[in-house]
Amino acid sequence: MIVMLLILLSAQHEGVIGIMGAMDVELRLIDESMIVESIDTIGGKTYKKGKIYGMPCVTVRAGIGKVAAAHTAQTLILRYGVDYIIFTGVAGGINPGLRIGDIVISTDVVHHDFGQVFPDSFVPFDTVGFGADSMLIALAEKAAAGLNFTPVPEGIRGEAGLPSVVLGRIATGDQFISSEEKRAWIERTFSAECVEMEGAAVAQVCKVNGVPFVIIRSLSDLANEDADVDFEVFVLYAAKNSSILVKGILEILSR
Ligand code: ADE
């Protein structure tokens, strides 16, 4: 069934793919493979339109956080008529079984900071989230199985080796998480694999517009007290892993 869906998506794919990242490092490698046709600045964001492996794409650095991600996703849809959105970037690990560098393909994406504040607790309004597109998920899984990711660099706990790729929920909030207590709360409350600052906003915009999406993230840190130091050390490595997977998806689509 999944193979059939993939064949259909590849064979019939004539749509435009919007590729978003928050920061320059998250899109640099992808942009390097683009034959650029036009560049526009809208709302302070630079949209590059062109072809990657012959596939029509628009890439954009959205900036950090949910508002930046939401208005950028809406612009991709309205001004560029993108048919799919893929978000690529880094995240903090929430599942303690994951290591820096590991890759998460979103099944669904939830806002972890959207809810009601009580004197002693915070109750989220939604713990289920926005479902990612099953064809894009299947495509990402297929791409991941055939790719050479960069091995885990020195200084990461556990054994050296290649990063793992998992499917699961991603939690989003307008907060950089550097707290073991908060990491554990996000794990308990949402069973998320990782946390970042844009995915659910993109997902929500995609849902209301009927645009399929998937969020791809590689861990730059583990959302604990070491997160800001780890982020600085591993952001490039993690951003590269996520880009490698997105390029793998485009490569399959171009066949
Ligand atoms: N992106 C990368 N690491 C993160 C963290 N710890 N919290 C939120 N977003 C992140």
Side-chain angles (χ1 to χ4, degrees), residues 7-213:
I7 292 170
L8 269 177
L9 185 63
S10 307
Q12 294 182 352
H13 185 83
E14 284 168 17
V16 181
I17 305 167
I19 304 173
M20 303 177 63
M23 301 175 295
D24 181 60
V25 288
E26 292 170 324
L27 277 175
R28 216 181 278 157
L29 266 182
I30 293 169
D31 273 355
E32 276 173 19
S33 301
M34 181 185 257
I35 297 169
V36 180
E37 290 161 6
S38 65
I39 301 180
D40 307 306
T41 303
I42 304 166
K45 308 286 151 59
T46 304
Y47 295 77
K48 284 190 194 162
K49 190 174 165 193
K51 298 244 165 54
I52 301 178
Y53 308 140
M55 304 298 302
C57 295
V58 182
T59 64
V60 57
R61 289 147 179 76
I64 295 171
K66 297 204 282 188
V67 174
H71 88 78
T72 306
Q74 189 66 60
T75 302
L76 276 175
I77 293 166
L78 286 183
R79 290 284 285 262
Y80 293 92
V82 298
D83 300 284
Y84 306 91
I85 290 186
I86 301 175
F87 195 106
T88 176
V90 302
I94 292 295
N95 175 348
L98 296 179
R99 294 191 306 160
I100 289 173
D102 287 347
I103 295 166
V104 181
I105 300 168
S106 66
T107 49
D108 64 333
V109 200
V110 66
H111 295 281
H112 71 71
D113 59 352
F114 182 55
Q116 187 165 355
V117 176
F118 292 97
D120 297 317
S121 64
F122 173 76
V123 178
F125 285 154
D126 183 11
T127 52
V128 177
F130 306 96
D133 179 65
S134 51
M135 277 198 294
L136 291 174
I137 294 171
L139 201 51
E141 271 191 290
K142 181 177 155 76
L147 284 168
N148 288 322
F149 292 104
T150 314
V152 176
E154 295 280 314
I156 292 186
R157 71 180 163 82
E159 288 183 15
L162 293 174
S164 320
V165 180
V166 299
L167 247 68
R169 179 171 298 160
I170 296 178
T172 303
D174 275 320
Q175 301 166 345
F176 185 91
I177 309 299
S178 321
S179 154
E180 174 53 27
E181 196 185 333
K182 184 79 175 192
R183 183 212 61 74
W185 177 81
I186 295 174
E187 186 192 7
R188 264 197 323 277
T189 311
F190 301 100
S191 306
E193 300 295 330
C194 67
V195 64
E196 37 83 308
M197 301 178 70
E198 296 83 22
V202 173
Q204 190 169 353
V205 169
C206 284
K207 280 285 154 180
V208 294
N209 288 278
V211 172
F213 75 91

